[in-house]
Amino acid sequence: MKNSLRFKITFWIIFFLFWYLMGKRINSPTIFPYPHKVLLKTISLLSDTEFLYNLGITAIRSLVGLFLAFFIGFILGNIKNEKFYVGIRNIIDIFQSNPLIIWITLALLWFGFGSKTVIFTTFIMLFPNLYLSVYYALKNIPTEYIELFKIYPISKKNYITKFLIPYIKPFILPVLANSTISSFKISAMAEFFATNNGIGFLLSYAKTFLNTEYIYAISIYLFIISKFLEYIFRKMNILKEDLKL
Amino acid sequence: MTVINIINLKKSFNDKKVLNGVFLKLEEGEKIVIKGPNGCGKTTLLKIIAGLINPDEGIVEISPGTKISFMFQNPIFLPWLNMEENLNLTCKDPSKLKELIDYFDLKDYLNLFPHQLSGGYLQIFSFVRTFTIPHNLLLLDEPFKSFDINRKEKAKAFLKSHLDNKKITLLMVSHQEDREDKEIADKIFNLF
């Protein structure tokens, strides 16, 4: 057995053991349910159509927010004008300096209760990194390539497909991968306050009725989705391999 | 007909004067080699003529309708394309490309990527590419730098025949005192 696998198994055994002992010590399923009960709840959710439906809604909202952030970030990132960049950079500073909850509150005021608020919040949180990755990748095209295409001009189509996209890919894909992973979490958080469906809403609902096992089970799903996406992106060599023991 | 007329050209990089008052005139079909030590501005001069960098002062007149081909000192190829794709990307004369691939016996290397080739081979491919676009002014920046003796002779022979056949003006930069410079050039200038 590989060292890294042995370490992972040991880690999770200790983790669940610690969880079990804490549950026993606290002795309150409302505050700290036992791990096996949470696991049973997690498994039972697989056949819960309401849960799956809400999971789908969150996925769609996060993908729409991600797509808008990437699309607008890509278009604006292609504008090389320095004054335009400084303007956008100032807007990005406003986006990044305020906590997520401020944007959810403002979006609630602007768009009201529902999907628009979730999508807007996801967009606000993802746009800065996507825009900056495109802008800096294009800004830092090595002079040698610029000189090459001045002497040996090629068609616009070839420039985009044979040069620009392959060149920009290693700069954008890791950011896009991380944004995809984050989008789900951001959407779920926005849903907590701003919708009456989606995973975030289920969390809010479960909290109201102190359905702690349900909250733990949902958080396990969010963890699994995040790790699954990370695994896929690592397999595709978009994200670098993590530290291995 | 004057192809290039350079008057009092000056260029500095970070306060370091690279070109300090260069005058140069090239007539159509003339073949000139410029020599000089490292850092004397040979490459900068070629790049200014090619329009790749702007001078600080002076006049660079290129006769209208001049088509420039430039061989860079360091071969530039896209690392994600193999050599065939790299050459096809910029090639405007496929028959010339095929002729040169055969001439330099490069067929077996076309499927390789730039990082899989030695500096010498990249230099040959760069040399080949120079002749695959329409040109009547050829700017070569140390073209034979990394060639082995056999390929250097072939490249030199090809260049000579290429220049003999057409009214092509040549401005070549060379570092060392190479024998081939005298064989190719009408005049040799030193840049200090």
Side-chain angles (χ1 to χ4, degrees), chain A residues 145 147 152-154 162 166, chain B residues 47 70 79-80 89 92 129-130:
Chain A
Y145 293 143
E147 289 181 346
Y152 302 94
I154 59 173
K162 302 258 172 75
Chain B
K47 286 191 170 181
F70 188 117
W80 50 84
L89 182 65
K92 300 282 188 286
R129 180 173 58 191
T130 313

Side-chain angles (χ1 to χ4, degrees), chain A residues 50-60 184 198-199 202 221 225:
Chain A
E50 194 200 351
F51 170 75
L52 295 174
Y53 168 74
N54 282 291
L55 191 68
I57 286 177
T58 306
I60 290 167
F184 213 84
I199 286 291
L202 292 184
Y221 273 104
I225 289 166

Side-chain angles (χ1 to χ4, degrees), chain A residues 144-155 158-159 161-164 166-167, chain B residues 47 50-52 68-70 72 76-81 89-90 92 129-130 133:
Chain A
E144 57 180 35
Y145 293 143
I146 295 167
E147 289 181 346
L148 176 72
F149 293 124
K150 266 191 184 168
I151 298 295
Y152 302 94
I154 59 173
S155 69
N158 274 346
Y159 184 78
T161 56
K162 302 258 172 75
F163 172 67
L164 201 58
Y167 164 76
Chain B
K47 286 191 170 181
L52 299 176
I68 298 174
S69 189
F70 188 117
F72 295 94
I76 306 166
F77 291 101
L78 303 181
W80 50 84
L81 298 180
L89 182 65
T90 54
K92 300 282 188 286
R129 180 173 58 191
T130 313
I133 60 168

